[in-house]
Amino acid sequence: MKHLTEEQLHLCQQYLNTVFGIEEGFEYVKASFTDFSKTEGDLVLSDIIQSFFSIAQTNILLERLFIDDKKIQQAIKQFKEVTEAAFMLEGHFDHYDTRVKVVNDNLYPTFFAWSESIQVALSRNVTQ
């Protein structure tokens, strides 16, 4: 376990909070596909995609911070799969059936798998 400064610890905690927020957002988006009273699904999905940019930027900092931690390095590299799944929405965001299929079959499962791996890898260092 790496000893982190308060600033580094705060960065990791904020990062994990973002990941948790995205998970909650995905739950809303997925529910909006069948519960039409949840009218903000598209907006939440857009926010999720925007959050991926923040995660990608923070990944650069985490790669440097945890340069000797293979599990964190591997989890960070795995995020590329999430962005590739997100790119599947490009040009199809306005097509309901395609959007539902991409989110349910690709983007959410890929994000969830990555999310679990980064949470496990980082939690060893954040619970100081």
Side-chain angles (χ1 to χ4, degrees):
M1 177 164 66
K2 181 178 178 81
H3 180 72
L4 301 175
T5 66
E6 276 189 54
E7 185 177 288
Q8 293 166 333
L9 184 60
H10 182 70
L11 172 71
C12 292
Q13 289 169 332
Q14 289 298 105
Y15 182 88
L16 289 174
N17 287 341
T18 299
V19 172
F20 294 137
I22 292 171
E23 286 178 359
E24 290 175 354
F26 266 121
E27 292 304 320
Y28 182 90
V29 169
K30 289 175 50 123
S32 76
F33 294 151
T34 55
D35 180 352
F36 297 110
S37 70
K38 297 187 181 308
T39 59
E40 301 295 319
D42 292 348
L43 180 61
V44 173
L45 184 56
S46 284
D47 289 346
I48 288 170
I49 302 299
Q50 289 298 316
S51 295
F52 290 167
F53 293 109
S54 175
I55 287 176
Q57 290 175 329
T58 305
N59 280 349
I60 295 167
L61 298 172
L62 294 177
E63 279 181 312
R64 291 182 198 142
L65 180 60
F66 297 103
I67 197 157
D68 295 326
D69 190 315
K70 291 181 194 238
K71 286 190 181 218
I72 292 176
Q73 292 292 324
Q74 182 179 5
I76 290 170
K77 285 179 182 26
Q78 186 182 352
F79 187 71
K80 182 179 181 190
E81 296 171 19
V82 176
T83 59
E84 289 171 355
F87 279 122
M88 294 174 77
L89 287 171
E90 191 171 358
H92 300 289
F93 202 85
D94 292 333
H95 301 116
Y96 177 79
D97 292 336
T98 303
R99 188 174 63 247
V100 170
K101 183 166 180 47
V102 168
V103 169
N104 285 336
D105 296 349
N106 299 97
L107 185 54
Y108 178 73
T110 304
F111 174 82
F112 188 76
W114 168 80
S115 171
E116 284 186 329
S117 68
I118 196 68
Q119 287 177 52
V120 168
L122 273 179
S123 66
R124 296 175 296 131
N125 293 285
V126 174
T127 56
Q128 295 184 3

